[in-house]
Amino acid sequence: MTKVLIATDKPFAPVAVNGIREIVEAQGYELVLLEKYASQDELIAAVADVDAMIIRSDKATKEVIEAAKKLKVIVRAGAGYDNIDLAACTAHNVVAMNTPGQNSNAVAELAFGMMVYMARNFFNGKSGSELKGKKIGIHAYGNVGQNVGRIARGFGMEVYAFDPFMTDEQIKNAGATPVHSAEEMYKMCQYVSLHIPATEQTKKSINYDLLKNMPKGAVLVNTARKEVIDEEGLAKLMEERADFHYITDIAPDCDCFSKFEGRFFATPKKMGAQTEEANVNAGLAAAHQIVNFIEKGDEKFRVNK
Ligand code: 3PG
């Protein structure tokens, strides 16, 4: 019998697990569940006899892929797939997929939750500031970036976007003013929201030199990945500039940020995509993609081409 594993250290909402179960069992497949596991060894043991698996930020390392002797398809229920060893997947004939767009509204809403929280001084009662009329620069204008743009327009912000993979026309049609370099955008915008993936090219690319030119009262918003930040450079800048703020859904590795009281905020646990709606959208999309691949060989959304 075809076995599908959901391996989520950060579990989906129960309604999403039930929805995935229905899709999988309607095909006559078996669903197994591994949630909140204590160690990577538990994950390695759980993959031994599965044909397909659904993960979130769970680390699908070479060891995991090699231990999954029967694995044919792995779906990251979400956008970023930097947690999957794609080379190992390809070497073992495993198709790797993501579910782009399915959780993007949730992530974008959290970005605004954090922006308002910071602009209103963590709701401590002191006079804060408004988002209306401020310039926001969206770094990468894909699914999450465009949702940020939509919400920003609702707040009355001026919306700019830099995305080297989009034409000016595409950016304009998606409601933002195109900017042609990151440098230009960071110079202009008090708010910058990051939506770039973590790749060899982008790691540590948000650095001192780029950030130092942001206008007074700068706010860097990170709902992307901690790896894209040059933490040393950012911390140095925050030492030098008492007006610089950093709000993030992914706690930095360096504990040096906690001293920037009133200018730094990190969620206790990455929670951008942690809504029932996003869990259902991404989880069910992952289940459908697995069924379509196993039954029809459909490789749409494959990322290890
Ligand atoms: C994504 O890449 O889809 C988001 O970062 C969400 O990740 P999560 O599923 O681990 O919450």
Side-chain angles (χ1 to χ4, degrees), residues 67-260:
K69 298 275 180 258
K70 291 174 64 192
L71 189 67
K72 294 163 197 68
V73 56
I74 177 167
V75 184
R76 193 281 189 242
Y81 46 88
D82 47 302
N83 51 324
I84 304 180
D85 187 328
L86 295 184
C89 288
T90 305
H92 292 84
N93 281 323
V94 174
V95 170
M97 298 181 182
N98 66 348
T99 65
Q102 301 291 349
N103 60 16
S104 46
N105 180 64
V107 178
E109 285 191 13
L110 186 86
F112 280 88
M114 293 196 300
M115 281 186 242
V116 171
Y117 190 47
M118 174 64 73
R120 297 303 184 96
N121 300 314
F122 311 113
F123 305 147
N124 70 358
K126 285 193 188 148
S127 186
S129 60
E130 301 181 18
L131 300 183
K132 187 178 177 188
K134 307 292 190 306
K135 293 184 171 77
I136 183 168
I138 303 174
H139 195 158
Y141 206 46
N143 290 307
V144 184
Q146 290 180 35
N147 274 291
V148 168
R150 171 180 53 79
I151 300 169
R153 290 193 296 278
F155 269 93
M157 301 182 89
E158 279 184 42
V159 183
Y160 298 86
F162 169 63
D163 192 320
F165 301 100
M166 289 174 81
T167 62
D168 282 4
E169 195 68 7
Q170 287 169 327
I171 291 177
K172 276 187 213 156
N173 288 342
T177 301
V179 186
H180 299 114
S181 72
E183 287 72 17
E184 191 190 335
M185 189 172 76
Y186 282 64
K187 245 180 223 165
M188 193 165 52
C189 297
Q190 181 184 349
Y191 283 83
V192 169
S193 190
L194 298 173
H195 303 290
I196 50 178
T199 65
E200 283 320 307
Q201 291 74 44
T202 63
K203 280 181 187 164
K204 291 187 190 269
S205 65
I206 308 305
N207 56 28
Y208 181 90
D209 284 341
L210 185 61
L211 296 168
K212 73 173 194 286
N213 294 318
M214 283 182 72
K216 194 166 184 307
V219 183
L220 179 66
V221 187
N222 188 3
T223 54
R225 290 289 181 274
K226 68 171 187 263
E227 288 81 2
V228 302
I229 304 284
D230 172 8
E231 290 184 4
E232 221 178 287
L234 174 58
K236 177 173 178 270
L237 183 63
M238 290 180 75
E239 291 275 5
E240 289 171 12
R241 277 183 57 177
D243 67 310
F244 201 102
H245 304 72
Y246 180 44
I247 48 184
T248 181
D249 187 29
I250 320 96
D253 287 329
C254 180
D255 52 21
C256 55
F257 288 92
S258 48
K259 66 170 173 271
F260 301 118

Side-chain angles (χ1 to χ4, degrees), residues 10 12 55-58 76-82 99 103 107 223-225 249 270-274 279:
K10 182 172 55 186
F12 288 127
I55 57 168
R56 294 185 63 179
S57 294
D58 307 81
R76 193 281 189 242
Y81 46 88
D82 47 302
T99 65
N103 60 16
V107 178
T223 54
R225 290 289 181 274
D249 187 29
K270 181 172 165 231
M271 54 178 290
Q274 199 58 325
N279 291 173

